[in-house]
Every structure is written in C-alpha cells, then in structure tokens.
C-alpha cells in the first residue's frame, strides 16, 4: 500500500473518529461546511485566472506605452487593486488547516474593509487537488472561487459564490452566509 493511500486512510480515520459520537445535526453541518469549501475552491481559481488575464493585458498595454483598458466586466476590484492584501497561497493536506497567520491576515483585512486575497489547495481523499481562492472587496463581501476540474470523482468545474461574515472554522475559513454557487 502506498504512503499516499496510508495517509488518506489515516486522515479518514481521524475525521470519522471525531464524528462517531457527534449528533446527526453536527455531522450534517460538517458535511455542509466541507461541501461549501469544495465549491469555494473552484470559484477562487476562476478569480485567479481572471486576475492573471487582467494583469497580463495591463502589462502588455503598459509595455507598448499606451493607456491600459479598463478591467473586464465582472473583474473584482480586490484583484485589480494594487493596494490589495495578499495573504498567500497555501497547499494543505486533507487533515490540515490553513496557517493561523494566513487566516488572521485575511479576516483582519475583511474587517478593516481592505481588499484581500487568500488561496488554498487541498487534496480530495483520492489525492486530486481542489483549489479555493477567497477575494475580499472593500465592502466586506468575499468572492469564493472553487476549481475542482482535476477532481476525477467530482463535478469537474469552476464555481463562484459571494459570501459574507467570514469566521474561523477549525483552521479553515467559513462564512455566515453565501449565495448559491454559480458555474463560471
């Protein structure tokens, strides 16, 4: 048995051990939280891809000495703003959480109404990467983009939703309220 499979089994045992005595309502709540996180990753990746395209277009235009065109419709002000706080891109294991410093960076920026960005890549149980990017704007709203195109057993797409009220949820970022995920 490969080390990767042993790690996945150990992580699964750890996750299920904590749930064995949990009431059904807590189990459902945890499942919903995990589902939201997976959805949020696709939304985040789409935001990053949009940002890369915007920055590339602006750079190419600036190199020619002309005025850059405005960002495409739907581009987040947080992504295109030079004053945005970058809280990093983090690869975490299945049973790992985001670094405390990254969570604090992002939540502090949202509370102060400063644009901010935070990205995480987390593997599925099978080891497929799910990328989640959180982009906060100056109004405190957070665009959550989840990219699960590499998830062999998932919906294989990119989704985005708008969330408010970010909180720490077991070394992850959770939200008080989110819109329905939309395919990007």
């Amino acid at each position: 048995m490969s080390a990767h499979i042993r790690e996945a089994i150990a992580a699964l045992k750890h996750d299920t051990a904590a749930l064995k005595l949990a009431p059904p309502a807590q189990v459902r709540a945890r499942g919903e939280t995990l589902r939201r996180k997976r959805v949020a990753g696709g939304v985040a990746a789409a935001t990053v891809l949009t940002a890369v395209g915007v920055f590339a277009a602006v750079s190419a235009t600036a190199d020619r000495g002309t005025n850059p065109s405005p960002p495409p419709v739907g581009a987040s002000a947080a992504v295109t703003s030079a004053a945005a706080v970058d809280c990093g891109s983090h690869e975490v294991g299945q049973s790992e959480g985001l670094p405390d410093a990254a969570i604090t960076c992002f939540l502090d920026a949202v509370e102060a109404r400063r644009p901010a960005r935070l990205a995480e890549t987390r593997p599925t149980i099978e080891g497929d990467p799910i990328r989640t990017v959180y982009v906060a704007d100056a109004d405190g709203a957070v665009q959550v983009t989840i990219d699960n195109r590499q998830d062999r057993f998932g919906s294989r797409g990119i989704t985005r939703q708008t969330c408010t009220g970010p909180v720490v949820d077991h070394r992850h970022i959770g939200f008080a309220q989110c819109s329905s995920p939309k395919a990007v």
Side-chain angles (χ1 to χ4, degrees):
M1 187 180 316
S2 74
H4 180 69
I5 292 173
R6 279 193 295 272
E7 288 177 17
I9 291 171
L12 181 60
K13 285 180 182 177
H14 174 73
D15 284 349
T16 58
L19 297 176
K20 285 181 183 175
L21 300 176
Q26 284 182 335
V27 173
R28 281 191 299 277
R30 180 174 164 90
E32 178 61 21
T33 299
L34 292 173
R35 184 197 66 77
R36 271 192 256 134
K37 288 176 187 172
R38 292 184 82 187
V39 170
V43 174
T47 302
V48 169
L49 293 174
T50 301
V52 169
V54 168
F55 288 132
V58 169
S59 295
T61 304
D63 290 343
R64 290 193 308 259
T66 61
N67 292 330
S69 60
V73 174
S76 170
V79 173
T80 59
S81 170
V85 176
D86 186 358
C87 297
S89 295
H90 307 275
E91 289 195 29
V92 296
Q94 292 170 346
S95 60
E96 298 174 356
L98 285 165
D100 292 336
I103 293 172
T104 301
C105 170
F106 190 76
L107 295 180
D108 286 352
V110 172
E111 184 177 335
R113 303 286 194 215
R114 289 190 317 262
R117 179 193 167 280
L118 172 64
E120 76 172 306
T121 302
R122 174 178 312 282
T124 63
I125 297 223
E126 299 83 17
D128 300 329
I130 304 293
R131 183 150 171 89
T132 305
V133 179
Y134 307 94
V135 178
D137 62 23
D139 295 328
V142 179
Q143 298 296 317
V144 181
T145 305
I146 299 176
D147 181 352
N148 65 355
R149 291 177 292 176
Q150 295 179 351
D151 183 0
R152 293 169 289 170
F153 302 100
S155 60
R156 301 187 92 174
I158 299 174
T159 58
R160 182 177 297 136
Q161 64 189 130
T162 302
C163 300
T164 57
V167 295
V168 178
D169 181 16
H170 298 92
R171 294 191 62 204
H172 301 283
I173 295 180
F175 295 93
Q177 186 173 3
C178 289
S179 65
S180 296
K182 305 273 190 227
V184 176

